[in-house]
Amino acid sequence: MKINNTVIKVCMGTGGIAAGGSEVMDAFRAELKASGIEAAVEKNCLMHKVGCRGLCAKDVLVDVIVKGQKTTYQYVKPEMVSRIVKEHIIEKNPVADWVVGDDYHNFHKKQLKVVLSDCGSIDPEDIDAYIAGNGYEAARKVITSSAPADVIGTIKASGLRGRGGAGFPTGVKWEAAMKQSSKQKYMICNADEGDPGAFMDRSVIEGNPHAVIEGMIIGAYSIGSDKGYVYIRAEYPLAVERLRKALSDARARGFLGKGIFGTKFSFDIKVKLGAGAFVCGEETALIASIEGQRGMPRAKPPFPVYSGLWGKPTVINNVETLANVPYIIRNGAQWFSSFGTEKSKGTKVFALTGKIKNSGLIEVPMGIPLREIIYDIGGGIEGNRALKAVQTGGPSGGCIPAEMLDTPVDFESLAKVGSIVGSGGMVVLDEDNCMVNMAQYFLQFTQMESCGKCVPCRIGTKRLLEIIGRITKGKGKEGDVELLEKLSADIKAASLCGLGQTAPNPILSTIKYFRDEYEAHLKGKCPAAVCKELLTYYILEEFCKGCGACLRACPAKAITGEKKKLHKIDPAVCIKCGACFDVCKFKAVGKE
Amino acid sequence: MEKTLEKILKDTKENEGNLISVLQDTENAFGYIPEEAVNWFASKLDINPSVFYGIATFYAQFHLKPRGKNIITACCGTACHVKGSDRLINGLKQELALPEGEETTKDMEFTLEKVNCVGACSIAPVFIINKKVHGKAAADKLIKEIRSIKGSKSENK
């Protein structure tokens, strides 16, 4: 049997694989073989994996393209494959029951994809797929026909700013490095995405690694570097694997190595695996880590562009920043700067997570109102509950309360309301989330990750954590909130690096907008019923069916009751683990 | 052991490695950093063992104690946190009868470790059991998986 012009794309990012992407792909292969069309698979029916297309919550997502007509299926499981092959690929009738709905299309409608334009549509492990879409043409163009200063001019004119958190203009950084006379310079890609709740860089590398490599080649050419490193988290095994393959493919094609594109320009890239330290996202700490030492930051200046890796001028750019570069060169500075706001140009990739319906990876023009992200792209709050706040910027950022949802999302506007764009984590919180608990969560993280070099951060964050800890336990004292504010201000002012300077932000911003929740904790109440020590669990008489599920689940044997009769929780024995709450199907366990 | 260590040292020299990559290779080879290995490298490289110790304790990836046969990784990222990963972790601790402050079961079968974020936030809460990612994890499913690992072990006996 002959099948013409059919393409099957299976989502195989970390999310897709976790949902069973490999099994789905195997099922397609087996099914095509069983249908007798296997011989045509390679030639006329293309099947390939693609990186993340964003809406991981609906994985496994599969595109079936028949004669240019694309149909996307959601929640695909191996057992669904035979029907798709039979009805859609052979009989040409898409299986309407499994096709994505409006929410999938709405999720994409207000997005604007630059960095992610090829993610989710090309096979990340196939260099030819990237080349077919003009890949490596930008690098060829600049290396063979532009002077480094002109390339830097284009990047400066585009208004591209660092996407790792600080938002420093990329072109200015490159220019400073270019002007250094040192013979040896380094180009580093920072893929140490350590913010909890962020996966933009992972998705970009998993979905389109060649764009990052091409960006690095262009950067290296501009500053005059022949050696680059990608410092990537070891916690991202799939991204590391795809990056390594992409590097060796690029090397085989002569895009990396000696005499690139027949010129005198040489450049190669090595992968350095991070060993698990959040502070290594800070550039001087990252450099120390590449050198094989403890990743501790040092005072700046001198900035790495003057004295970086092994004392040589070094440019460090974030993954997303670099992935923007080839597209800017291809389409021009003006094209890029037509997106975004006056001071924040282009787009930004966010990891939209938490209590949101369409959780996933999104790319939006800078300046888009937060409301559009949450309700149009994100589809609103899970279970239609009430939105409480949106946390941006991870442990260095702050929260934006529901009443400020019209805030435009760009560097300046978020800073004005006390948060940051940061690397792009965006966590949606609903009425069931306790803001004091959230602040404590982030502080626990930064306190643990503090490298210990400078006192304000090492000891200051520890003291902050103790104070907030006693507040969540109902043992807070009058004046504790003010003490948190005072200590936070001191830590911000006196810490050596960005970690300490921003660590108090989650506390300050939750106090600013949710002071009442802190006050309630001081009075022994957790309004969202999250803080364990302030909770009591009880059984609601009218709902309890006496099924015994809670009794069996209780590890402390605090629940008593006969079958089909009302059960009871003994508060003196209860360890407040919440197991009963989780297992009860009748909503008969209450907490307050 | 010495053969493995010699190979690590050779690879390191050939690939411009450094102390971190030495420790990473050692961790990969043994599942943790044995004290003997550190002393061996220290004498070969003429670097004080305390320097190795300083690096090994700085980075979360290195373990100074042997770990269990089955590794359960609990993601503690923000998205997993807001979706209740804490409660799931406590449930697993009960299931594995792990004492407070311990990561590995006495019989060396299981290690339950927490990591900052595995970056799979849209399928939170996330657990990784022996390298297989379990998204949208629920207590009953996780416990079932763990019991099936325990079960297959006792069948083999």
Side-chain angles (χ1 to χ4, degrees):
Chain A
M1 177 164 201
K2 230 180 142 178
I3 295 283
N4 277 324
N5 307 323
T6 301
V7 184
I8 303 165
K9 296 182 179 185
V10 183
C11 193
M12 295 266 268
T14 293
I17 291 175
S22 309
E23 288 82 0
V24 167
M25 208 149 160
D26 289 344
F28 266 105
R29 211 167 273 138
E31 198 57 39
L32 291 169
K33 193 175 172 185
S35 315
I37 47 180
E38 182 217 16
V41 167
E42 292 304 320
K43 245 186 180 164
N44 300 313
C45 172
L46 258 176
M47 176 161 75
H48 60 76
K49 53 182 95 164
V50 294
C52 188
R53 63 187 73 204
L55 200 48
C56 313
K58 293 191 187 297
D59 267 330
V60 178
L61 288 157
V62 176
D63 285 339
V64 175
I65 306 166
V66 177
K67 294 193 176 151
Q69 198 74 34
K70 184 169 95 174
T71 310
T72 305
Y73 293 102
Q74 61 185 5
Y75 304 119
V76 178
K77 299 227 163 355
E79 55 269 25
M80 295 157 67
V81 167
S82 69
R83 201 176 142 196
I84 297 176
V85 169
K86 182 169 175 286
E87 294 182 20
H88 190 173
I89 297 178
I90 298 177
E91 293 165 10
K92 315 278 186 246
N93 293 314
V95 188
D97 302 352
W98 300 333
V99 173
V100 292
D102 287 343
D103 51 347
Y104 180 82
H105 298 292
N106 290 339
F107 177 77
H108 291 285
K109 216 181 269 169
K110 286 207 172 162
Q111 293 195 50
L112 176 70
K113 300 204 173 183
V114 173
V115 172
L116 299 181
S117 54
D118 291 322
C119 273
S121 71
I122 63 168
D123 183 344
E125 294 179 21
D126 179 7
I127 190 170
D128 287 314
Y130 181 65
I131 292 172
N134 287 325
Y136 288 105
E137 272 314 303
R140 182 192 303 276
K141 193 174 128 195
V142 302
I143 294 171
T144 56
S145 64
S146 307
D150 295 338
V151 185
I152 290 172
T154 305
I155 299 298
K156 274 171 91 176
S158 75
L160 177 66
R161 291 167 63 177
R163 299 305 197 229
F168 191 80
T170 307
V172 175
K173 200 187 254 185
W174 286 10
E175 191 172 44
M178 179 194 73
K179 286 185 176 158
Q180 300 305 303
S181 56
S182 168
K183 245 186 155 179
Q184 182 68 61
K185 296 177 193 175
Y186 295 102
M187 180 83 207
I188 296 177
C189 169
N190 183 351
D192 190 44
E193 186 171 52
D195 277 23
F199 52 92
M200 298 74 54
D201 297 347
R202 171 180 70 70
S203 303
V204 170
I205 293 179
E206 280 177 11
N208 193 5
H210 288 287
V212 182
I213 297 172
E214 190 177 3
M216 283 184 78
I217 296 172
I218 295 167
Y221 172 76
S222 310
I223 65 167
S225 158
D226 65 352
K227 204 162 187 185
Y229 291 93
V230 179
Y231 186 85
I232 184 166
R233 291 181 80 196
E235 288 90 335
Y236 288 172
L238 184 65
V240 173
E241 186 190 314
R242 290 196 177 151
L243 178 67
R244 285 202 166 125
K245 178 165 194 319
L247 285 171
S248 86
D249 290 348
R251 216 169 279 132
R253 299 293 172 99
F255 301 143
L256 288 173
K258 286 208 158 67
I260 299 172
F261 300 122
T263 64
K264 279 187 195 153
F265 174 62
S266 300
F267 178 61
D268 210 339
I269 300 172
K270 275 203 162 171
V271 175
K272 279 276 171 190
L273 287 188
F278 173 67
V279 72
C280 288
E282 199 279 343
E283 49 186 11
T284 59
L286 186 152
I287 287 170
S289 185
I290 292 183
E291 291 174 352
Q293 305 160 24
R294 288 163 70 104
M296 290 165 118
R298 61 161 174 78
K300 294 189 280 190
F303 289 93
V305 288
Y306 305 108
S307 173
L309 189 60
W310 290 298
K312 305 292 181 199
T314 303
V315 162
I316 302 177
N317 288 133
N318 157 270
V319 171
E320 191 187 333
T321 316
L322 289 165
N324 265 300
V325 169
Y327 296 96
I328 295 173
I329 302 289
R330 266 186 240 167
N331 300 301
Q334 226 173 6
W335 165 82
F336 185 81
S337 64
S338 69
F339 311 127
T341 65
E342 197 201 331
K343 285 184 177 158
S344 302
K345 299 293 186 196
T347 60
K348 177 78 191 86
V349 181
F350 288 98
L352 185 60
T353 61
K355 306 284 181 69
I356 185 107
K357 277 185 192 153
N358 299 336
S359 172
L361 187 74
I362 62 165
E363 183 172 0
V364 289
M366 287 276 196
I368 185 174
L370 190 53
R371 183 182 301 280
E372 290 182 23
I373 294 184
I374 302 301
Y375 287 99
D376 297 343
I377 296 172
I381 312 305
E382 246 179 11
N384 291 322
R385 304 181 66 85
L387 171 74
K388 188 185 258 186
V390 180
Q391 209 282 343
T392 64
S396 311
C399 59
I400 301 154
E403 54 281 13
M404 295 174 80
L405 259 195
D406 291 309
T407 308
V409 176
D410 59 61
F411 290 116
E412 285 71 28
S413 308
L414 290 195
K416 215 188 285 169
V417 299
S419 190
I420 56 168
V421 170
S423 59
M426 197 175 261
V427 184
V428 179
L429 306 171
D430 71 5
E431 53 199 346
D432 284 347
N433 291 114
C434 166
M435 299 313 284
V436 185
N437 171 273
M438 280 315 288
Q440 184 188 25
Y441 165 78
F442 284 119
L443 196 67
Q444 257 164 2
F445 177 82
T446 33
Q447 193 272 322
M448 193 134 82
E449 293 295 335
S450 169
C451 80
K453 184 169 179 173
C454 73
V455 175
C457 176
R458 182 180 72 231
I459 300 176
T461 54
K462 182 97 183 154
R463 294 289 99 86
L464 280 181
L465 192 59
E466 285 166 3
I467 301 167
I468 203 161
R470 68 177 181 239
I471 294 177
T472 59
K473 289 192 177 74
K475 291 178 181 153
K477 295 181 249 179
E478 203 171 312
D480 268 357
V481 180
E482 292 71 21
L483 187 59
L484 282 175
E485 287 176 309
K486 165 82 175 59
L487 190 51
S488 292
D490 294 343
I491 294 169
K492 276 173 79 93
S495 290
L496 175 67
C497 82
L499 193 152
Q501 287 158 11
T502 60
N505 287 354
I507 294 192
L508 290 173
S509 100
T510 47
I511 294 180
K512 184 171 171 190
Y513 297 115
F514 298 95
R515 202 178 186 106
D516 54 326
E517 288 198 22
Y518 281 84
E519 306 285 352
H521 281 77
L522 288 181
K523 291 186 187 117
K525 277 253 171 230
C526 173
V530 171
C531 295
K532 212 169 137 181
E533 273 82 356
L534 304 180
L535 278 185
T536 36
Y537 284 91
Y538 54 92
I539 291 186
L540 296 150
E541 276 179 41
E542 59 271 40
F543 296 118
C544 179
K545 305 265 192 259
C547 70
C550 58
L551 188 145
R552 286 190 294 276
C554 179
K557 302 201 165 42
I559 303 179
T560 49
E562 282 170 46
K563 228 174 173 55
K564 301 205 170 156
K565 283 194 182 146
L566 178 67
H567 284 45
K568 256 201 160 138
I569 301 176
D570 182 353
V573 184
C574 176
I575 54 166
K576 300 170 183 178
C577 68
C580 52
F581 185 86
D582 289 337
V583 294
C584 183
K585 290 188 182 117
F586 308 104
K587 299 208 159 107
V589 179
K591 55 178 179 178
E592 65 171 22
Chain B
M1 180 187 253
E2 196 158 335
K3 256 194 184 155
T4 317
L5 298 180
E6 259 163 23
K7 190 177 175 300
I8 293 173
L9 197 62
K10 193 168 154 258
D11 286 353
T12 304
K13 282 183 178 154
E14 280 166 11
N15 298 312
E16 296 176 43
N18 52 38
L19 292 192
I20 293 178
S21 58
V22 166
L23 289 172
Q24 279 172 332
D25 291 348
T26 309
E27 171 91 24
N28 283 339
F30 302 102
Y32 75 111
I33 312 278
E35 198 178 328
E36 304 91 286
V38 168
N39 289 333
W40 189 87
F41 285 123
S43 69
K44 288 273 170 191
L45 295 167
D46 196 19
I47 296 171
N48 210 312
S50 68
V51 178
F52 286 87
Y53 183 80
I55 293 168
T57 52
F58 186 85
Y59 295 99
Q61 211 183 67
F62 302 122
H63 305 90
L64 301 182
K65 278 191 212 163
R67 297 195 303 154
K69 263 186 226 155
N70 299 289
I71 310 281
I72 306 166
T73 309
C75 179
C76 297
T78 321
C80 293
H81 177 78
V82 302
K83 293 213 169 168
S85 60
D86 270 356
R87 284 226 298 273
L88 292 172
I89 293 168
N90 286 334
L92 290 187
K93 274 189 188 159
Q94 305 263 352
E95 172 67 25
L96 298 171
L98 274 177
E100 200 54 45
E102 286 295 326
E103 281 193 335
T104 305
T105 53
K106 267 201 185 130
D107 59 3
M108 299 302 287
E109 281 297 320
F110 290 93
T111 292
L112 173 64
E113 59 177 16
K114 297 185 192 179
V115 294
N116 284 340
C117 184
V118 296
C121 315
S122 39
I123 48 172
V126 178
F127 281 75
I128 302 173
I129 302 179
N130 292 333
K131 295 196 173 163
K132 187 169 187 291
V133 180
H134 295 255
K136 298 177 189 167
D140 49 342
K141 278 189 196 158
L142 288 174
I143 288 175
K144 212 173 138 193
E145 177 82 20
I146 288 171
R147 286 188 184 158
S148 90
I149 295 172
K150 280 185 189 166
S152 66
K153 186 202 148 207
S154 51
E155 269 167 36
N156 289 341
K157 266 185 183 169

